[in-house]
Amino acid sequence: MMDEPRRRDLPERMLRLLGLLQTRRTWTGAELAQRLQVTERTVRRDIDRLRALDYAVTGTTGTSGGYRLAAGSSMPPLSLEDDEVVAVAVGLAIASQGSVSGIEDASLTALAKLERIFPARLRPQLAAISRATSAAPGDYAAHVDPATLAVLAACCHEHESVRFDYRDRTGRRSTRGAEPHSLVILRGLWYLVAYDHDREDWRIFRIDRINTPLRAHRPAERRDLPTTDAVSFVRRSLAAASYRYTARLTVDLSAADVRAGILAPIPGEIDDLGPGRCRIRLTAESPELVTQYIVLVATIGAEFIVDAPPDIKDRLHRLGTRLGRTRSHDRATLSAR
């Protein structure tokens, strides 16, 4: 935060200029002039004044040149719109529930500070958000390192390449070079969606398995995802993956009807086999999890055939036996009444 005398030294236009410099890695003079509705000469003069106030605004020349706000000795004022304040408050409230390890207390204190320093019109919204927002991660949810998350988020935002050490689900380690695109939270886990330089293809990476990410400090090539959005890509990648245990179900319903009837997402591919029939491929690291997914499909009420390893078939058989005993007990109870 900056002290009050120095804040008064900055006219409103310069505060807006600082706010713009905080949102992107580099701005050209023409872009800043257009956003501020002034001339490029005025932009240069305002940049010089910011530098005189010890704000580290650097300038580069050439086709990719422009102005950049670098690290300096003074913290510039953070300028947020009302909707940005609400977004920050929601993020802090979720983080305070423990979805990112090590920042729960810091998130709560940051929320408290927001409630004190922002305008009166926003305080009721902030208070309501901090009281009402909660996160319920699954028991299997893995915490991520906030420093790792910060580096990857910056690379996504600024379209910058990154290198990191990665450990896959088998424990094998490798060094990867990638162009980050998005961060996605799905089923309690954080994923990085990125273009993998070595594989020359799009990949997803569990962020809790990423170590020591290093920014390349050079722009990454802008590429289009092979799906409509990052969440769809993560879902598709997980569905196409192969794990230790796999089961295939032939269901007497179309793929569209199965997708509409399942109460929760399942990690598997669903392919039509013809009118009114489809095949579902379910895969996971444990037979217990595959069995749970099969039971989820069974709730639709359609007939189906299971092709699965003996471990899974045995579990389904024992489950069916227990359910049969439960139904018999219920009938006996009703008769006694």
Side-chain angles (χ1 to χ4, degrees), residues 35-47:
R35 294 292 294 268
L36 296 171
Q37 297 184 333
V38 297
T39 65
E40 290 188 52
R41 181 179 178 182
T42 299
V43 169
R44 288 194 296 271
R45 188 169 60 245
D46 287 349
I47 292 290

Side-chain angles (χ1 to χ4, degrees), residues 1 75 78 80 85 88-89 92 105-120 122-123 126-127 130:
M1 300 297 292
M75 174 73 74
L78 183 62
L80 295 175
V85 175
V88 169
L92 288 172
D105 292 342
S107 300
L108 288 173
T109 57
L111 266 176
K113 290 178 181 178
L114 281 178
E115 292 186 60
R116 286 198 300 270
I117 67 174
F118 276 95
L122 296 179
R123 288 176 188 167
L126 292 172
S130 61

